[in-house]
Amino acid sequence: MTAQKRIGIYPGSFDPPTNGHLDIVQRATGLFDEVIVGVGVNLAKKTMFSGDERVALMREAVSALGNVRVEPFDGLQVDFARKHAARFIIRGIRALSDFEFEFEMANMNRTLAPEIEMVFLMTSPEYLFLSASRVKELHAFGADVSKYVPAPVQKRLGKIPPRRGQRTGAMEGNE
Ligand code: ADP
């Protein structure tokens, strides 16, 4: 049997990357030969950070990990997976509400690309209540978010004055 490289993509908006996301990336690196983090750059949802910024922040955050790459993507998760010859799509699950959304998405993906397997990693308990939205909210109100985000994100947020954190004015692009 020829060994096929096990490639998994981890798609998301990562607006901004949090320690919860990084925990999933780190754990995924132990399961796959290569993990490709897909940063959705043309999302319907309005983001605080531009696509380029989110890619750059994620790249910095995972720079110490050997088998991880970060690439922008625009479109369907399954198309991104196929483009990179990935047979797995990795997602993190925190709560029942995540499950419902992911279940629906997984079934959609299965219909579109039956050869691709969805892999769900349960959040580590310390990140159960951590979300990118919560980080932005805390920052907007002047709270210290250093224990929730990687250093490059903390540094970037430090340049945005509290209470303006929720605005897109400090960012470039049309998101
Ligand atoms: P999306 O907009 O596609 O949901 P996110 O950037 O919000 O993208 O999240 C990307 C993935 O990371 C999703 O699978 C999400 O459930 C997961 N995730 C987000 N926060 C955490 C966390 N604290 N612990 C584990 N997984 C998480």
Side-chain angles (χ1 to χ4, degrees):
M1 202 172 87
T2 52
Q4 202 179 352
K5 206 172 164 192
R6 297 169 76 86
I7 304 172
I9 62 152
Y10 177 39
S13 36
F14 309 112
D15 183 45
T18 69
N19 289 342
H21 295 135
L22 285 190
D23 176 58
I24 298 289
V25 175
Q26 215 155 17
R27 287 162 56 199
T29 60
L31 297 171
F32 299 98
D33 297 316
E34 186 176 12
V35 174
I36 303 172
V37 181
V39 178
V41 293
N42 221 339
L43 306 162
K45 67 179 172 186
K46 198 169 169 182
T47 56
M48 178 173 167
F49 295 97
S50 74
D52 285 350
E53 269 191 299
R54 285 178 284 122
V55 169
L57 288 171
M58 188 54 107
R59 279 194 179 138
E60 266 194 81
V62 302
S63 59
L65 299 169
N67 54 341
V68 181
R69 227 157 20 103
V70 179
E71 299 292 344
F73 90 100
D74 178 6
L76 295 174
Q77 294 176 358
V78 292
D79 288 340
F80 182 69
R82 279 175 172 156
K83 181 177 163 195
H84 292 283
R87 284 180 298 134
F88 305 93
I89 298 179
I90 305 151
R91 297 282 291 174
I93 299 251
R94 282 158 298 185
L96 216 54
S97 50
D98 276 350
F99 175 82
E100 228 171 290
F101 176 83
E102 297 296 341
F103 187 64
E104 200 183 302
M105 179 79 88
N107 280 302
M108 175 65 75
N109 284 345
R110 186 187 291 274
T111 310
L112 294 168
E115 79 281 11
I116 294 173
E117 197 65 67
M118 301 289 303
V119 177
F120 297 98
L121 298 181
M122 290 294 157
T123 184
S124 300
E126 61 268 42
Y127 304 124
L128 190 55
F129 300 106
L130 178 56
S131 67
S133 327
R134 189 54 39 83
V135 164
K136 286 179 279 191
E137 202 172 274
L138 286 173
H139 175 73
F141 289 108
D144 174 24
V145 294
S146 55
K147 55 175 188 288
Y148 304 124
V149 294
V153 173
Q154 192 194 343
K155 200 168 145 205
R156 180 67 188 87
L157 280 171
K159 292 183 183 149
I160 305 167
R163 293 193 185 284
R164 289 189 58 235
Q166 298 284 37
R167 291 176 43 177
T168 53
M171 314 303 152
E172 59 168 71
N174 54 359
E175 294 167 353

